[in-house]
């Protein structure tokens, strides 16, 4: 009995001593690593053998909880021996390792909560604490200090790297970017929560001041003097009597491993400092995770890039193909050897660069080029055509003309066809077109010997087209600008047969009149029918052009001199035909030849086609093999006699103006009325 009596008070005393001790222990603890810790874990949280508390791994939409197993008595109605208080002090070391560098999960929070039953809560932005319907409700009685690593605009997050005070909901009452105040440097230094570096957070609440201080720093540093957040808050409205304290973390579509390395808590007074040296090591996952992260990064970021790259390459391939796209049809097979690839022509002309532009005429632009494989110099004429119809015949004709061989013709080498475009490849004539020599002061003047040789050459070329080939080829556009000079200043006729393109052309309703005003025979402007005679007429105008050094029509001249034929004829009538010679020759010419050329020019310009000589006769006159007949002393035969509309037509256009269709009389009238 005595033992019982003596033992009972002992037991009571023991009880009275141990219970407060137990409470005292519960209200103050420190874990430098969690080896022996008896934490309540939930979600996917676990404690590693080395004492590392892992709240989440990098699985999606996960939560992890770790709570101190016993509730902490915060309010008055406690049986604790301690004075009732809301004050507390805690600090913990954490590390957040995102799966993808800089792109982490939602973060973690130190939480004070009346219950650890979070079955209705969701992960992601609610951090496993709330759901969409109870987020923010005062009945939650939850205080959380969040380390937020994702920007949730709907939660009014400031950034993806901040510390926030959450009262009853994840819309922070107050938050600040993750920084610490450096006493040495006297300024705030940014911290990257997702850096994976161990960091420490201090949370202190002073009931008397009703002030909540939150301080952040690297784990290796001691607590900075200045807190990151210092927020007045009355926790008596939030906290209940009995509360659980612990951690919660959540991942979403983006994930991080959330770790707690150590934790110190104290309900009465400053929490004890953690011993950083005793904290567990983070898994050497970082490198592996880094690599894995890199792989994922490559998959998530680089893969779309690769796709974009492939798309771009593909697109550029298509564009390239489009760029070099040609039209080839079965019937062209036989012309294979004459066919040039557009790509080669494109490269040869440096992409049809303006620098390579030799000139632009009625049929299109001409570019200089050098064939990449052979270094052969070429001229490429781009002729636009909008019809499929007729192209076959035209190409056939062009190809057959490619068989024309004459030293006074510009050799056609081949062709290429694209949508709406025909490219003709010619020998390159290094000295360009004759008109430049006649009218451009930049080019050297041609002496009479050169001029006469060119005239003979062109006549020979035209004769070949008219009479010496298997079929009659009508040039249709003989003029100085279509005569090209090779390196030895031989005249070569270019552009032959091109006018035929318009014969094969789209619109049979319109008569296509192709040629150049001033060189058009009167009957041609009436009928639109090209013959060898119309070529002879143009050759006559061309002869006068070369001899007189001026264009067939020059509107700026005295009225009697505007039309070259009229003027030369007048000179002849006055018995002074040599007056018409080009002053730039300065009298240096062979008189007989000059006279012959001027007279022959007039004869070829006869208004009656049948009165004109043939090219063979022209050749004979030029060679002195035949004597030139006397010219009829009748202005009706030359120039002035040419039908009125033709004269008016000449008058109404500037010289050497190419047209592709003859205006009707009424349009000539309107041109005359507006122009004069
Ligand atoms: C995360 O943890 C859960 C539960 O332990 C496990 O099933 C899952 O495979 C883990 N995920 C990763 C990415 O390690
Ligand atoms: C949110 O959680 C509460 C319990 O806290 C629960 O009653 C409610 O049904 C949940 N709502 C949703 C939408 O899950």
């Amino acid at each position: 009995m005595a033992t019982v009596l003596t033992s009972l008070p002992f037991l009571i005393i023991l009880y009275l001593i141990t219970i407060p001790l137990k409470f005292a222990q519960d209200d103050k603890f420190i874990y430098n690593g969690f080896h022996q810790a008896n934490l309540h874990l939930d979600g996917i949280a676990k404690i590693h053998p080395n004492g590392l508390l892992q709240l989440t791994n990098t699985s999606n939409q996960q939560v992890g909880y770790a709570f101190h197993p016993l509730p902490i008595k915060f309010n008055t109605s406690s049986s604790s021996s301690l004075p009732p208080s809301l004050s507390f002090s805690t600090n913990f070391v954490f590390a957040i390792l995102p799966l993808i560098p800089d792109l982490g999960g939602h973060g973690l929070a130190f939480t004070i909560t009346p219950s650890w039953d979070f079955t209705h809560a969701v992960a992601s932005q609610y951090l496993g604490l709330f759901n969409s319907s109870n987020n923010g409700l005062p009945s939650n009685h939850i205080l959380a200090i969040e380390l937020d690593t994702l920007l949730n605009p709907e939660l009014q997050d400031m950034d993806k790297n901040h510390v926030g005070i959450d009262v009853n909901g994840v819309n922070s009452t107050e938050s600040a970017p993750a920084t610490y105040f450096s006493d040495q440097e006297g300024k705030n230094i940014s911290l990257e929560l997702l850096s994976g570096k161990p960091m420490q957070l201090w949370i202190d609440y002073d009931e008397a001041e009703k002030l909540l201080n939150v301080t952040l720093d690297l784990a290796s540093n001691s607590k900075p003097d200045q807190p990151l957040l210092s927020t007045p808050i009355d926790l008596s409205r939030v906290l209940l009597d009995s509360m659980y304290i612990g951690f919660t973390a959540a991942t979403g579509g983006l994930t991080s491993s959330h770790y707690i390395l150590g934790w110190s808590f104290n309900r009465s007074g400053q929490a004890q400092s953690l011993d950083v040296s005793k904290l567990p090591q983070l898994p050497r996952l970082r490198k592996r995770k880094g690599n894995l992260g890199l792989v994922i990064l490559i998959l998530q970021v680089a893969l779309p890039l690769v796709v974009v790259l492939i798309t771009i390459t593909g697109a550029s391939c298509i564009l390239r193909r489009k760029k070099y796209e040609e039209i080839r049809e079965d019937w062209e097979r036989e012309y294979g050897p004459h066919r040039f690839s557009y790509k080669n022509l494109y490269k040869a002309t440096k992409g049809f660069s303006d620098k390579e532009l030799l000139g632009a005429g009625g049929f299109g632009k001409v570019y200089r080029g050098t064939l990449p494989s052979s270094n052969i110099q070429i001229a490429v004429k781009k002729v636009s055509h909008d019809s499929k119809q007729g192209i076959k015949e035209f190409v056939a004709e062009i190809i057959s003309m490619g068989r024309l061989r004459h030293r006074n013709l510009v050799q056609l080498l081949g062709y290429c066809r694209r949508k709406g475009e025909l490219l003709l490849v010619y020998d390159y004539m290094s000295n360009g077109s004759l008109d430049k020599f006649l009218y451009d002061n930049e080019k050297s003047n041609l002496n009479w010997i050169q001029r006469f040789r060119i005239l003979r050459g062109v006549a020979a070329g035209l004769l070949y087209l008219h009479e010496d080939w298997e079929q009659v080829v009508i040039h249709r556009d003989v003029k100085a600008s279509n005569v090209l000079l090779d390196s030895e200043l031989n005249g070569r006729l270019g552009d032959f047969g091109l006018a035929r393109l318009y014969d094969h052309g789209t619109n049979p309703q319109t008569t296509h009149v192709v040629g150049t005003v001033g060189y058009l025979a009167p009957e041609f402007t009436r009928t639109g029918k090209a013959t060898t005679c119309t070529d002879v007429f143009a050759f006559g105008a061309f002869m006068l052009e070369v001899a007189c050094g001026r264009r067939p029509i020059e509107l700026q001249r005295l009225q009697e001199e505007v039309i070259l034929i009229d003027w030369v004829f007048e000179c002849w009538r006055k018995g002074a035909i040599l007056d018409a010679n080009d002053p730039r020759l300065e009298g240096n010419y062979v008189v007989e030849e000059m006279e012959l050329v001027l007279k022959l020019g007039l004869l070829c310009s006869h208004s009656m086609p049948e009165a004109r000589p043939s090219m063979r006769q022209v050749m004979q006159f030029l060679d002195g093999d035949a004597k030139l007949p006397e010219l009829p002393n009748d202005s009706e035969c030359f120039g002035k006699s040419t039908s009125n509309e033709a004269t008016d037509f000449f008058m109404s256009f500037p010289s050497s103006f190419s047209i592709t269709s003859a205006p009707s009389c009424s349009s000539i009238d309107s041109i005359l009325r507006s122009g004069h």
Side-chain angles (χ1 to χ4, degrees):
M1 185 71 192
T3 52
V4 172
L5 283 175
T6 51
S7 65
L8 189 66
F10 173 75
L11 282 174
I12 291 167
I13 289 165
L14 195 71
Y15 176 82
L16 285 176
I17 291 168
T18 54
I19 294 300
L21 259 179
K22 187 166 178 279
F23 272 109
Q25 265 177 354
D26 283 341
D27 285 0
K28 179 183 176 184
F29 55 82
I30 181 164
Y31 299 112
N32 287 304
F34 299 90
H35 329 74
Q36 270 105 48
N38 173 27
L39 296 181
H40 168 82
L41 301 179
D42 208 343
I44 57 167
K46 65 173 185 174
I47 292 171
H48 289 253
N50 70 346
L52 182 67
L53 168 59
Q54 180 172 17
L55 295 170
T56 72
N57 59 22
T58 52
S59 288
N60 289 340
Q61 316 288 352
Q62 297 295 327
V63 282
Y65 305 93
F67 286 100
H68 184 66
L70 294 172
I72 305 289
K73 305 290 170 196
F74 275 98
N75 260 337
T76 50
S77 59
S78 160
S79 58
S80 159
S81 62
L82 290 167
S85 170
L86 290 162
S87 298
F88 69 91
S89 168
T90 187
N91 54 284
F92 60 93
V93 171
F94 66 93
I96 306 175
L97 277 77
L99 178 63
I100 301 162
D102 288 334
L103 291 173
H106 286 270
L108 64 89
F110 170 79
T111 304
I112 307 180
T113 168
S115 156
W116 60 38
D117 174 17
F118 290 107
T119 43
H120 295 289
V122 293
S124 300
Q125 70 265 41
Y126 296 111
L127 296 172
L129 293 170
F130 311 104
N131 60 33
S132 55
S133 56
N134 69 6
N135 180 39
L137 296 182
S139 56
N140 287 332
H141 295 288
I142 290 177
L143 173 74
I145 314 300
E146 64 169 31
L147 297 158
D148 196 334
T149 51
L150 208 78
L151 178 70
N152 290 113
E154 78 272 20
L155 304 180
Q156 287 91 44
D157 277 358
M158 60 194 314
D159 58 17
K160 63 176 191 95
N161 185 46
H162 63 266
V163 181
I165 297 172
D166 298 347
V167 177
N168 296 324
V170 281
N171 307 61
S172 304
T173 0
E174 178 126 27
S175 60
T179 54
Y180 71 94
F181 186 81
S182 163
D183 294 331
Q184 286 103 338
E185 300 185 42
K187 62 171 184 185
N188 285 328
I189 311 267
S190 288
L191 288 173
E192 200 64 52
L193 295 176
L194 287 175
S195 65
K197 288 180 188 157
M199 295 179 200
Q200 190 159 195
L201 194 74
W202 291 264
I203 303 164
D204 301 281
Y205 184 71
D206 182 343
E207 187 186 32
E209 289 184 69
K210 294 191 167 36
L211 195 65
L212 182 64
N213 282 342
V214 179
T215 314
L216 180 70
D217 204 338
L218 290 169
S220 48
N221 295 349
S222 54
K223 187 181 179 183
D225 292 338
Q226 283 194 24
L228 175 62
L229 290 169
S230 189
T231 305
I233 184 169
D234 185 359
L235 282 188
S236 65
R237 294 160 167 274
V238 183
L239 301 186
L240 297 178
D241 191 19
S242 172
M243 302 293 281
Y244 292 95
I245 54 171
F247 303 95
T248 163
T251 64
L254 292 164
T255 63
S256 312
S257 290
H258 297 93
Y259 296 103
I260 308 289
L261 291 78
W263 180 22
S264 171
F265 181 86
N266 191 358
R267 257 273 276 112
S268 51
Q270 273 288 308
Q272 214 181 320
S273 293
L274 293 167
D275 186 344
V276 177
S277 66
K278 287 187 186 156
L279 297 180
Q281 291 288 310
L282 285 167
R284 295 184 59 82
L285 279 175
R286 196 180 325 181
K287 194 140 189 101
R288 216 175 75 202
K289 277 199 182 257
N291 283 343
L292 186 65
L294 210 68
V295 169
I296 302 272
L297 186 74
I298 285 165
L299 288 178
Q300 291 196 350
V301 179
L303 200 70
L305 263 179
V306 167
V307 169
V308 166
L309 218 77
I310 288 169
T311 313
I312 288 171
T313 322
S316 69
C317 263
I318 289 166
L319 282 179
R320 219 177 134 83
R321 208 176 299 158
K322 192 133 190 91
K323 187 167 145 187
Y324 297 135
E325 194 173 51
E326 299 174 12
I327 294 179
R328 262 176 219 268
E329 289 175 74
D330 281 349
W331 54 264
E332 291 181 84
R333 222 170 265 153
E334 57 178 302
Y335 309 133
H338 301 282
R339 177 93 196 200
F340 282 78
S341 84
Y342 185 72
K343 193 174 168 181
N344 272 351
L345 297 183
Y346 190 89
K347 286 191 173 155
T349 56
K350 303 195 173 90
F352 295 97
S353 133
D354 280 346
K355 278 196 192 130
E356 305 300 314
L357 192 64
L358 291 172
F363 293 105
K365 292 179 173 177
V366 187
Y367 297 86
R368 175 185 37 224
T370 307
L371 285 176
S373 48
S374 54
N375 269 350
I376 289 175
Q377 285 204 300
I378 53 167
V380 182
K381 188 167 211 119
K382 267 186 157 182
V383 182
S384 61
H385 71 85
D386 41 22
S387 68
K388 269 180 86 83
Q389 194 198 347
I391 192 70
K392 185 172 171 179
E393 292 84 350
F394 181 72
V395 168
E397 214 157 304
I398 285 291
I399 293 299
S400 81
M401 280 176 200
R403 291 191 283 117
L404 289 165
R405 292 271 188 278
H406 194 275
R407 61 190 296 265
N408 295 110
L409 296 180
V410 178
Q411 185 63 44
L412 178 73
L413 301 173
Y415 79 105
C416 176
R417 224 150 64 79
R418 270 162 60 87
K419 193 161 182 270
E421 205 170 50
L422 180 72
L423 296 111
L424 298 170
V425 185
Y426 293 96
D427 263 345
Y428 174 66
M429 296 289 119
S430 55
N431 273 312
S433 61
L434 174 61
D435 62 330
K436 300 269 164 37
F437 283 88
L438 294 177
Y439 310 121
D440 267 10
N441 288 325
E442 285 165 31
K443 292 267 189 181
S444 64
N445 192 12
L446 292 171
N447 65 32
W448 180 249
I449 294 166
Q450 290 165 328
R451 292 191 198 199
F452 193 71
R453 198 153 57 95
I454 290 164
L455 284 175
R456 277 200 69 243
V458 174
L462 201 52
L463 172 60
Y464 175 76
L465 291 179
H466 283 183
E467 297 184 24
D468 291 346
W469 200 51
E470 57 200 50
Q471 67 190 71
V472 177
V473 177
I474 297 166
H475 187 286
R476 293 173 177 238
D477 204 10
V478 177
K479 58 178 172 180
S481 57
N482 270 342
V483 170
L484 298 160
L485 302 180
D486 64 19
S487 53
E488 292 157 355
L489 290 177
N490 290 310
R492 287 166 173 254
L493 202 44
D495 260 3
F496 39 88
L498 266 192
R500 297 283 290 147
L501 181 61
Y502 290 87
D503 274 4
H504 296 303
T506 44
N507 198 341
Q509 271 86 27
T510 58
T511 315
H512 288 280
V513 179
V514 182
T516 304
V517 175
Y519 301 87
L520 298 175
E523 80 276 10
F524 180 72
T525 60
R526 278 196 305 271
T527 65
K529 194 170 181 319
T531 61
T532 53
C533 297
T534 57
D535 268 0
V536 171
F537 183 93
F539 184 73
F542 166 68
M543 287 201 339
L544 297 181
E545 190 178 10
V546 174
C548 307
R550 52 155 289 189
R551 297 176 199 276
I553 297 172
E554 289 187 355
L555 293 175
Q556 72 278 16
R557 297 213 169 229
L558 298 172
Q559 208 193 329
E560 62 272 20
E561 294 183 12
V562 168
I563 296 177
L564 181 57
I565 298 169
D566 287 357
W567 181 57
V568 176
F569 181 72
E570 280 312 308
C571 290
W572 173 76
R573 253 221 306 228
K574 286 187 285 183
I577 196 170
L578 292 176
D579 285 359
N581 84 82
D582 185 356
R584 284 174 75 197
L585 290 169
E586 293 172 327
N588 296 319
Y589 53 83
V590 180
V591 174
E592 294 75 26
E593 286 176 359
M594 179 62 86
E595 209 176 311
L596 172 68
V597 167
L598 290 171
K599 281 184 180 174
L600 186 55
L602 283 179
L603 191 61
C604 292
S605 303
H606 200 289
S607 52
M608 306 299 291
E610 52 277 16
R612 293 171 208 149
S614 69
M615 278 320 292
R616 189 167 299 284
Q617 289 172 308
V618 168
M619 218 44 234
Q620 285 166 353
F621 296 137
L622 285 176
D623 287 345
D625 294 342
K627 204 173 172 308
L628 198 68
E630 270 304 302
L631 294 177
N633 191 352
D634 180 1
S635 64
E636 292 293 297
C637 298
F638 305 102
K640 288 223 171 70
S641 72
T642 53
S643 67
N644 288 333
E645 81 252 47
T647 310
D648 291 347
F649 189 40
F650 292 172
M651 292 294 291
S652 65
F653 285 96
S655 61
S656 291
F657 184 87
S658 285
I659 51 160
T660 54
S661 72
S664 65
C665 287
S666 62
S667 68
I668 290 171
D669 284 350
S670 68
I671 290 164
L672 283 172
R673 258 181 262 117
S674 63
H676 298 274

